[in-house]
Amino acid sequence: MSLMFMLFALLGSIVVLAAGSLALRRVVAYLNDRLVVGEETALQAEPEQHVGGYVPAPRGQEDLPHSLRARVHDLVALGRDEEAVRVVRERLGADEVRARRIVAGLGGDGTGSRRALEP
């Protein structure tokens, strides 16, 4: 008789725990649905400002590969500044202003109007 009573008590406690777990799941699901709806209305009322993102730092003439620096320096020495600017733009993916600044830093003015060496 005592063994039978312990089995019923054990089964009863399992049923109580299962019912409590089910009730807790329903309560959590209800609160999550309510919270999500509240967040959606809050987001619609006031959107957050987007701040950030990856922006690469500009490269200077010291960051140029040695072969590119030598090629640009040779073009500048021959008075072919426009071609030097084009080469820098293509190799670095830079805009024209930045490419002209790099070429000017290597001794050219970026316009092709000056010759460092006479042919």
Side-chain angles (χ1 to χ4, degrees):
M1 185 77 168
S2 166
L3 181 62
M4 192 66 122
F5 179 71
M6 286 194 305
L7 282 174
F8 283 131
L10 180 64
L11 288 174
S13 64
I14 290 174
V15 169
V16 168
L17 288 174
S21 174
L22 181 65
L24 183 62
R25 282 185 185 180
R26 287 189 178 184
V27 168
V28 168
Y30 172 76
L31 291 177
N32 280 340
D33 289 342
R34 189 173 171 190
L35 183 64
V36 169
V37 170
E39 286 177 359
E40 287 176 358
T41 57
L43 288 176
Q44 290 173 355
E46 186 177 330
E48 293 182 21
Q49 297 292 332
H50 177 71
V51 178
Y54 174 73
V55 180
R59 297 173 94 180
Q61 66 186 20
E62 62 277 349
D63 294 338
L64 293 177
H66 181 68
S67 60
L68 178 62
R69 188 182 308 165
R71 171 97 172 118
V72 170
H73 193 272
D74 290 344
L75 288 171
V76 168
L78 293 173
R80 296 164 50 186
D81 292 350
E82 287 298 321
E83 189 174 347
V85 170
R86 184 181 54 79
V87 168
V88 170
R89 283 187 67 189
E90 288 175 359
R91 290 284 300 271
L92 295 182
D95 60 350
E96 188 159 347
V97 173
R98 199 167 120 215
R100 287 190 184 281
R101 197 176 310 135
I102 291 170
V103 169
L106 289 172
D109 59 1
T111 62
S113 62
R114 182 180 90 156
R115 300 188 99 156
L117 297 176
E118 293 296 324

